[in-house]
Amino acid sequence: KVPYSSTYQVNFFAPWSHHEKFWGPVKNNAMPDVHTQIYPWKKFTIDTFKNGQVPLWNPYSFSGNPHLANFQSAVLSPFNLLFFTLPFVDAWSILILLQPLLAGIFMYLFVREIGVSRVGALISSISFMFCGFIVVWMAYGTLSLAISFLPLALFAIEKFYNKKKIRYLVLLSLTIPLSFFSGHFQISLYFLAAILLFIVFRGLAAREILNIFYLLLSAIFGILISLLQILPSIELYRHSVRSEIFQISEAIPFQYLITIISPDFFGNPVTRNDWFGHYAEWAGFIGILPLFLAIFSVWEVRRKVVVFFAVLGIASLILAVNSPISELLVSLKIPVLSTSALSRVVILFSFSFAVLAGIGLDGLGRGIRDVRKLIMAFVLIGLFFAVLWLLLYFGKIYPAEWLIVAKRNFALPTILFLGAIFAVLISSKEKKFIIFLTSYFLFLTSFDSLRFAQKWMPFDPVQLVYPETPIVEAIKKNIGSSRIYGNLGTEVTAYYGFPSLEGYDPLYIGRYGEFIRGANSGEFLKGERSVVKLDRRGKYTDRVLDLLGVGLIFHPVADTNQGWAYPVWENKKRYELVYQDDKFQLFKNNFSLPRAALFYSYKIVKDSREIIKRFYSDNFDFRNVLVLEETPNLKVESNASGSAKVISYSPNKVVIQTTTNSPALLFL
């Protein structure tokens, strides 16, 4: 088995979903982007590298789209080296499992460096490596990896202040590109903000202003290395639809904060009873016992590092919640931060409180004889649990079926809390029971975190990862240098290398989205937020297919006469059947333009909205006339003629052979 939801792939995505032999139970159907983006992009990245090219451009989605600049493609990640030494799915599995492992190891190093005991460091590590954020995004291989280097960066900063060795400046510099090359810009920005804040805090606390300068210089050097990824991504972002959409997206409702204690209080997609539908985006769980211990870190409040992480954690949680503060942040129209899911900053809360958990265990051990403070803390926390249970049983705060789920999933946190009280009270009487106390917290923190991770994370049969189907081989045989159209997504087109018109990604060229949406009625429409999909029944759909060289139509037999499918069956003159089995048909488009063609006539239209209207006007001869935005000063002879032929086509290089008796425009 592999950490990839192969059962989800074969049950939900064509062509596999049309074959009953692949059907079966699906553990987790809440991570579609792994299949529609991350996994096929990784396959394309590695294949392109192996063919001797840097994957700058992906010709298989959106009629072509920047790939390295996409950021989530993680083209520059050093972990791509795994795929050159192992079979693809094995390398993928190791990449996924490395994320919590690295997060845990790096956290252990950091909290030990700030003086936390071994057991406290283990609790901090386990809490962080299996916190809600890392677990729910683990299968993607990007977001969790980007944040896993945060404790290593803080370790380098702390080591430099303690040892003043240049190697720790180098280590800090390297952690920054390691995060930015991991594939998620927003999370790497949070990573960078946290380490810059810690550099300044640590320097001011130690009154070592010069060392702040050295560390900031080291961070700047790391940022300069990261510009290899950042600069292309900024350029693509500027041209994307996402850069113009400023709205509160995925901010956590205040009532949902209870899931920090009980992650499945409002259900779980795995058990198909998720009420809100944003489980992954709002995951702030760190474990009831680590949260309990983090509260006891107030006994160590004289340590400035406790104040720092308490403030960072609480401030991050406030930013993640739907509130006037988050509305203000969006209104500032800050690129990336104001156009992405606000809730993801919750990872800084999870990290900060995981650090405080280790400190809290040590503080609890030292202050365990202070019975008055213990009782006060237990009473306050106990009142919270008691009030919530009263509401669940008598408050009618949710529908009855919701309350059943909430009660069941709030039971374990309550039991763990009561057990913690019992362990602490016993240990407060006899010092020899301290080892029992630490063992209790370590064992049950591990149990709670691992239970949560195993419930969410799929481990599915490796034989269901892209199983062979006859239709894929038929497409390879018939597609040539043309494009394909039909109900196939990136999980097929990018993985197997079939050029497609459509795509799904936050970063795509916005004007392309405007062009495709215009096919519906001929009117100008802004591109959609993350999706480009050609209307199956649009007025000008055929015109787009012909212009963009769509020579092959994919059609499931079961979709015939269905409204959601492109009506390939209605025009026998236009489409010629070239393949058929019991599930699928492939049709050749007899009217499509070749992928490369020479044009001898053009119209100049400078306004982007007018371009759409002109192209989609009924009297526009798109087969012979191009629309340009500036004049090419082309002098065409009256008897102009010629031809163009694609000799070879690869992501970064297209070779075209042309013959013409007059200056011409080459349209690719």
Side-chain angles (χ1 to χ4, degrees):
K1 294 189 174 183
V2 290
Y4 173 83
S5 188
S6 60
T7 54
Y8 178 52
Q9 176 190 328
V10 297
N11 276 268
F12 283 79
F13 297 100
W16 309 282
S17 58
H18 291 264
H19 292 274
E20 296 86 344
K21 65 180 180 180
F22 296 133
W23 295 353
V26 178
K27 177 175 181 177
N28 191 332
N29 63 353
M31 47 181 70
D33 291 4
V34 175
H35 305 276
T36 58
Q37 295 179 323
I38 308 300
Y39 195 85
W41 286 346
K42 183 67 72 177
K43 180 68 162 54
F44 168 73
T45 296
I46 302 306
D47 287 348
T48 306
F49 271 132
K50 288 182 176 180
N51 289 328
Q53 296 185 19
V54 177
L56 303 173
W57 182 261
N58 177 359
Y60 307 126
S61 301
F62 306 103
S63 293
N65 199 56
H67 187 67
L68 181 146
N70 168 279
F71 212 99
Q72 290 189 94
S73 56
V75 167
L76 300 177
S77 172
F79 293 96
N80 287 337
L81 293 173
L82 291 168
F83 295 87
F84 289 87
T85 57
L86 295 167
F88 187 86
V89 71
D90 295 341
W92 174 267
S93 300
I94 292 174
L95 172 65
I96 298 306
L97 297 175
L98 272 175
Q99 296 170 106
L101 178 63
L102 293 177
I105 291 172
F106 296 155
M107 176 63 106
Y108 185 86
L109 292 173
F110 170 61
V111 292
R112 286 291 290 154
E113 189 63 27
I114 61 174
V116 177
S117 67
R118 288 186 175 89
V119 177
L122 281 172
I123 287 176
S124 291
S125 300
I126 294 164
S127 175
F128 179 55
M129 69 191 288
F130 291 127
C131 72
F133 184 93
I134 287 183
V135 167
V136 299
W137 297 112
M138 190 191 309
Y140 288 67
T142 53
L143 294 87
S144 298
L145 187 61
I147 202 63
S148 66
F149 297 103
L150 175 58
L152 182 62
L154 301 188
F155 168 77
I157 295 167
E158 187 68 20
K159 269 289 189 182
F160 179 75
Y161 277 114
N162 293 335
K163 302 292 185 183
K164 308 298 187 296
K165 301 287 186 180
I166 293 178
R167 61 176 174 264
Y168 298 115
L169 294 177
V170 175
L171 178 60
L172 174 61
S173 294
L174 292 177
T175 61
I176 295 173
L178 282 172
S179 179
F180 276 94
F181 292 167
S182 293
H184 205 275
F185 191 56
Q186 181 188 11
I187 302 306
S188 294
L189 282 181
Y190 297 150
F191 159 90
L192 183 62
I195 65 174
L196 293 178
L197 288 172
F198 190 73
I199 287 171
V200 174
F201 153 75
R202 189 65 177 77
L204 294 177
R207 299 181 181 179
E208 299 178 9
I209 306 302
L210 185 60
N211 287 332
I212 295 178
F213 171 77
Y214 290 142
L215 285 161
L216 290 177
L217 200 62
S218 173
I220 290 170
F221 185 72
I223 294 170
L224 290 175
I225 299 173
S226 304
L227 290 180
L228 288 168
Q229 177 66 69
I230 294 172
L231 290 179
S233 297
I234 289 174
E235 183 179 4
L236 176 55
Y237 177 82
R238 288 178 52 246
H239 287 283
S240 72
V241 176
R242 179 61 67 90
S243 66
E244 301 174 359
I245 299 176
F246 298 96
Q247 62 187 37
I248 292 184
S249 174
E250 308 285 1
I252 303 173
F254 183 79
Q255 61 180 327
Y256 203 85
L257 293 180
I258 187 62
T259 58
I260 292 172
I261 297 172
S262 174
D264 296 344
F265 188 88
F266 296 110
N268 189 311
V270 173
T271 47
R272 309 300 193 269
N273 56 7
D274 181 26
W275 310 345
F276 286 93
H278 299 270
Y279 189 92
E281 296 291 358
W282 297 344
F285 175 71
I286 64 167
I288 177 61
L289 294 182
L291 186 64
F292 177 84
L293 290 172
I295 294 172
F296 282 100
S297 68
V298 298
W299 285 358
E300 302 288 303
V301 73
R302 293 180 181 177
R303 297 181 60 185
K304 294 176 181 177
V305 72
V306 172
V307 177
F308 174 82
F309 283 110
V311 171
L312 177 62
I314 293 171
S316 302
L317 192 61
I318 291 172
L319 290 175
V321 172
N322 194 352
S323 67
I325 295 175
S326 56
E327 291 177 3
L328 174 63
L329 182 64
V330 171
S331 69
L332 295 175
K333 296 186 176 181
I334 303 170
V336 181
L337 298 182
S338 296
T339 59
S340 302
L342 286 173
S343 58
R344 292 175 188 165
V345 73
V346 77
I347 182 54
L348 295 184
F349 160 79
S350 299
F351 174 79
S352 298
F353 272 65
V355 172
L356 293 176
I359 297 173
L361 179 72
D362 295 348
L364 182 60
R366 283 190 284 269
I368 202 164
R369 294 303 181 89
D370 194 338
V371 178
R372 187 172 61 86
K373 284 185 178 180
L374 284 176
I375 292 175
M376 186 182 301
F378 291 154
V379 168
L380 290 175
I381 302 172
L383 279 174
F384 168 79
F385 276 86
V387 169
L388 196 51
W389 275 113
L390 288 172
L391 287 173
L392 289 176
Y393 271 98
F394 304 109
K396 296 182 180 180
I397 53 177
Y398 299 116
E401 62 271 20
W402 292 13
L403 289 172
I404 293 171
V405 175
K407 292 172 188 175
R408 183 172 64 241
N409 291 322
F410 197 55
L412 179 61
T414 304
I415 293 169
L416 291 176
F417 166 66
L418 293 174
I421 293 178
F422 176 73
V424 171
L425 291 177
I426 287 181
S427 302
S428 66
K429 299 294 184 183
E430 294 289 342
K431 194 171 183 180
K432 63 183 179 181
F433 285 114
I434 288 293
I435 191 169
F436 164 75
L437 177 68
T438 55
S439 299
Y440 173 88
F441 278 104
L442 179 58
F443 176 77
L444 289 180
T445 295
S446 304
F447 162 76
D448 195 24
S449 295
L450 194 59
R451 177 199 61 84
F452 167 69
Q454 287 185 323
K455 183 174 182 178
W456 174 267
M457 189 65 193
F459 286 85
D460 282 354
V462 68
Q463 64 267 24
L464 293 181
V465 179
Y466 283 86
E468 293 183 2
T469 57
I471 187 62
V472 170
E473 295 306 313
I475 295 172
K476 290 179 181 178
K477 182 179 178 180
N478 288 279
I479 195 167
S481 61
S482 66
R483 291 195 171 105
I484 191 169
Y485 178 63
N487 290 330
L488 287 176
T490 306
E491 64 280 352
V492 172
T493 58
Y495 186 89
Y496 289 112
F498 302 149
S500 169
L501 309 185
E502 301 176 321
Y504 165 58
D505 182 37
L507 294 182
Y508 73 89
I509 299 169
R511 295 191 69 192
Y512 181 71
E514 296 167 2
F515 171 67
I516 295 297
R517 290 197 78 190
N520 182 32
S521 63
E523 296 298 318
F524 177 87
L525 293 170
K526 293 294 291 183
E528 295 186 78
R529 190 170 187 259
S530 299
V531 177
V532 170
K533 193 172 182 66
L534 181 63
D535 193 316
R536 272 35 180 173
R537 305 291 178 122
K539 183 179 179 181
Y540 298 102
T541 294
D542 289 345
R543 182 176 294 193
V544 171
L545 297 180
D546 293 348
L547 181 80
L548 296 184
V550 174
L552 200 62
I553 307 296
F554 167 81
H555 177 68
V557 175
D559 287 356
T560 304
N561 297 318
Q562 300 298 326
W564 63 76
Y566 176 69
V568 66
W569 58 87
E570 292 181 356
N571 195 330
K572 300 293 176 63
K573 183 179 178 181
R574 170 179 279 273
Y575 295 112
E576 174 187 345
L577 183 66
V578 295
Y579 172 83
Q580 181 170 358
D581 59 28
D582 61 331
K583 300 291 183 185
F584 305 105
Q585 294 173 322
L586 294 177
F587 291 88
K588 178 185 176 183
N589 179 7
N590 292 321
F591 290 175
S592 70
L593 291 172
R595 287 293 299 279
L598 295 182
F599 280 71
Y600 297 92
S601 180
Y602 59 88
K603 298 289 184 182
I604 305 298
V605 183
K606 296 187 177 182
D607 183 77
S608 60
R609 291 174 178 255
E610 288 301 317
I611 288 173
I612 299 295
K613 293 180 180 179
R614 176 67 64 89
F615 176 80
Y616 288 119
S617 59
D618 291 335
N619 60 355
F620 181 70
D621 183 9
F622 73 94
R623 294 185 181 276
N624 295 298
V625 181
L626 287 179
V627 179
L628 304 180
E629 293 179 278
E630 57 186 63
T631 178
N633 296 318
L634 193 69
K635 294 182 179 180
V636 181
E637 298 176 6
S638 58
N639 63 341
S641 65
S643 63
K645 180 182 179 182
V646 175
I647 302 300
S648 67
Y649 199 114
S650 63
N652 292 351
K653 184 178 182 181
V654 184
V655 179
I656 303 169
Q657 185 182 71
T658 62
T659 302
T660 180
N661 62 3
S662 171
L665 291 166
L666 175 63
F667 175 71
L668 178 61

